[in-house]
Amino acid sequence: MTLDVVIEDLVALRLDRTVRNADPLHGFVVAAEAVIDMEAPRFREVINILEAVSPSALDREYGAVREAMLTWARGDLLGARELLATSLRGLTGARALLVGFLAHMADFYLGDEEGMLKTGCDLIELRPTMSRRAAGLSEGLFSFALEECGYVTTQLPLAVGHNSQLDATATRPQLTQPCPEG
């Protein structure tokens, strides 16, 4: 299993927590999954995992993410969010997906809808650098941000438990341009 697949599993909320081998980055992804749980015991797990990973074992991008996750686990979510936002610039592929996912979750916990939207826009721009699955996961994060910011307000009738069908003539939501051009 490649690290890219492990990161995609994390974002898809399907991470196998037993994925730990000699590669320090597998533990790194397990730590990422633990930090988003926002529970004190998991924060201790994050700190233990990440302190065991030597910064010299990581390249610059993952080193910055390690620092952001340690900052988050030590209680400074806003500081972690700023580190993640800075780290996202210039990343590609699974690395961008990991950092974007962590930034998205930090924004969510901070109640920063516009931050989620900015992260979503950044991820959408990076889709060409990602696998098909990672690009789809990025679109999901962006869609969630759009909904949180009120860009998607059209309510579709729920067909669950009813014999009715969706109205094919229902108006589609109109987006005014949630991402800046450029």
Side-chain angles (χ1 to χ4, degrees), residues 98-168:
L98 174 63
V99 172
F101 176 63
L102 290 170
H104 171 89
M105 293 304 295
D107 289 330
F108 176 76
Y109 288 125
L110 289 167
D112 184 356
E113 296 166 350
E114 292 300 319
M116 273 194 296
L117 188 58
K118 169 76 172 94
T119 299
C121 290
D122 290 346
L123 286 171
I124 290 299
E125 289 179 15
L126 295 170
R127 284 180 306 174
T129 70
M130 298 177 182
S131 72
R132 181 183 223 171
R133 182 176 181 216
L137 292 166
S138 293
E139 290 171 2
L141 293 172
F142 180 60
S143 295
F144 182 84
L146 286 172
E147 189 276 329
E148 284 294 304
C149 290
Y151 284 99
V152 180
T153 58
T154 301
Q155 299 294 318
L156 296 175
L158 295 176
V160 178
H162 302 284
N163 290 329
S164 65
Q165 295 185 1
L166 295 177
D167 180 0

Side-chain angles (χ1 to χ4, degrees), residues 14 23 35 40 55-56 62 71 77 90 92 142 144 152-153 155 163:
R14 298 185 186 283
D23 183 349
V35 79
S56 63
Y62 281 129
T71 300
L77 183 54
T92 59
F142 180 60
F144 182 84
V152 180
T153 58
Q155 299 294 318
N163 290 329

